Amino acid sequence: MTEQFSNREGIKGMINPTRYGLHRVAYWMQRLSGLGLLAYLIGHIYETSTILNGKAAWNNMLSLTETPGGHMVLVLVIGMCVFHTGNGIRLMISEGGKGVGKPGQPEYPYRASSLNSKQRLCIWVSIALAALAMMYGAGVLFGD
Amino acid sequence: MATVEVPQEKKAESTIPAPTQSTPKTITLRISRFNPSENAETKFEEFKIPVQKWTTVLEAILYVKQNLDHSIAVRYSCRQASCGSCGMKINGKPRLACYTKISELESNVVTVEPMNNFPIIRDLAVDFKQLFSTHKKMKPFIVNEESEVLPGTKEFVQTPQDLEKFLQFSYCIKCGLCNSACPTMATDKSFVGPQGLAQAYRYTVDNRDQGKKERLKIVDQSHGIWRCHFAGSCSNVCPKGVDPAMAIQLLRGYLLGFRT
Ligand code: HEM
Ligand code: SF4
Ligand code: FES
C-alpha cells in the first residue's frame, strides 16, 4: 500500500505540537532538547579533543566559540539541559506508572486523569527552571 | 368502541410559549474527497449549508448527502457516540462526527477529512483492519481455566473496587481516534497503538483474569509498549474518557517490576 493510501501523518504530524495540549508540547520539547543535547555532546567532544593538538589549537578553537554567537548556543544548551532533566524525571516517574492518576468512573466531560494538574505543573516548572537558568547563564556569559 | 378524539391545534389560545428558535446560520462544509478507483488525488469539495446551534458534524454531512451530493462516503451508525464508526479529522483534530457540534468548533468553515494513520477506503471512510486485528491480538477476553460454567460452579465475585480498576478502560468503543492522534502511530506502521495497549491493560488488571503473562509478552516487543513516549494525545482526544495514556503507563509498571 502506498503512503498516500495509508494516510499516515508522518514526521510532519509527529512534530506538530499545536493540537493536543501541553503533554504533546512537552513530548516535542523533550525530543528536540534530547537531540540538541546529543548534537552538543558530539560537538563538545570534538571541541575539547583539540587540546590533544597542543595549546595553540586549543586557543584557536576557544576563540571560535567565545563569541556572542557561541554564547547564545551555550545559553540554549543550558535551557535544553535543565528542561530535559526536569521533564525527563517527570517522564521516568510517570512511565513507571506513578502519578498518572487512578482509574475510576469517567465523568463527562471526560478530562483524562493522566493529564492531571500535577503533571502539567511539572512541565511548567521544568520550563520555568530552564528559563531561569538561561537568564542566569546569559548574565554570567555576557556580563563583565 | 371508544372513539379517540384527535386534539385540534388551538393556535390563537395557546398559552405555551413557542420553543426557543435558534436562527439558522450558513456555514461552509469542506469535505475531503478521495476515490482510489477513479484517481489517486485528494480534493476538497465545499458546500454551503444551514446549521442550527445543535447541528452535529455528522448531521451536516448527512444534509449534504441528502440534498446536494449523495456520493459522499461516510461511515456511521448509532449517532450517539456508542458505535465508534464516525471518527474523522474535523478542523485538524480527530473527533467523532456525531459527538461534535458545529457550534462548538467556533468557525464558519468546517473541514472534514479521513482520520490519519488509517488507510482511506473512500472519502471519509477508513480501513480498520489493523486496529481490529491488533485488538484481537491483545486477547480481549477473560483468560481463566475455571471460567467454564458447569453444574455447581458459581459466578466470580468482584467488589466495586475490583470493578473500578478496569471499568473506564472497558468503555472503549474502538473508534480509533487515539491511534489517529498518536505521534508514534504517525511514523511507525507496526506500532501496537494506544487502543490495543489500553485493552491489554483492561484485561490484565481484571482480577478474574489469568492471562497477564501472555499479554505482557505480546506488548513487550520492539514495536510494542516501549514506543509510547507519553505524549498524552490519545487521552486528549478519546471521546469516552478511557484515558489510554494512563492504562499504558500502568501496564508498563508491571513490566518494570513496580507492581505484580
Ligand atoms: C539527568 C539528565 C537526563 C535525564 C533525566 C534524561 C531523561 C530522558 C528520558 C526519560 C527520555 C525518554 C523520554 C521519552 O520517553 O520519550 C530521554 C530521551 C532522550 N534523551 Fe535524555 N535525559 C538526560 C540527559 C540527556 C543528555 C545529556 C542527552 C544527550 C547527550 C540526552 C539525550 C536524549 C535523547 C537523544 C533522547 C531521545 C529523545 C526521543 O526519542 O524522544 N539526554 N531523556
Ligand atoms: S481508547 Fe478512546 S479514542 Fe481510543 S479507540 Fe477506544 S474509545 Fe476510541
Ligand atoms: S455514529 Fe456511532 S459513534 Fe458516531
Side-chain angles (χ1 to χ4, degrees), chain B residues 24 34 39 43-44 62-63 75 92 95 98 114 132 150 163 173 181 183 199-200 207 211 233 237 243-244 248 253:
Chain B
F34 172 72
N39 79 51
K43 59 182 197 303
F44 282 94
L62 295 181
Y63 178 91
R75 187 190 286 120
R95 312 174 210 246
C98 71
F132 291 148
L150 298 166
L163 177 72
I173 57 171
Q199 292 315 296
N207 67 349
S233 311
V237 299
D243 200 350
I248 298 169

Side-chain angles (χ1 to χ4, degrees), chain B residues 2 29 35 46 62-63 65 71 104 116 135 141 146-147 152-153 157 166 185 189 191-192 226 236-237 242:
Chain B
L29 184 64
N35 186 347
E46 293 191 0
L62 295 181
Y63 178 91
K65 264 179 90 71
S71 72
E104 79 192 59
N116 281 117
H135 180 75
F141 42 81
E146 274 126 53
S147 64
T153 48
V157 178
F166 65 82
M185 235 34 210
K189 63 176 187 292
F191 180 47
V192 175
W226 309 109
N236 181 286
V237 299
V242 171

Side-chain angles (χ1 to χ4, degrees), chain A residues 67-91:
Chain A
T67 57
H71 287 341
M72 294 285 274
V73 171
L74 279 187
V75 170
L76 202 66
V77 169
I78 293 170
M80 290 194 299
C81 214
V82 173
F83 175 80
H84 190 90
T85 307
N87 189 53
I89 293 168
R90 171 187 72 90
L91 283 172

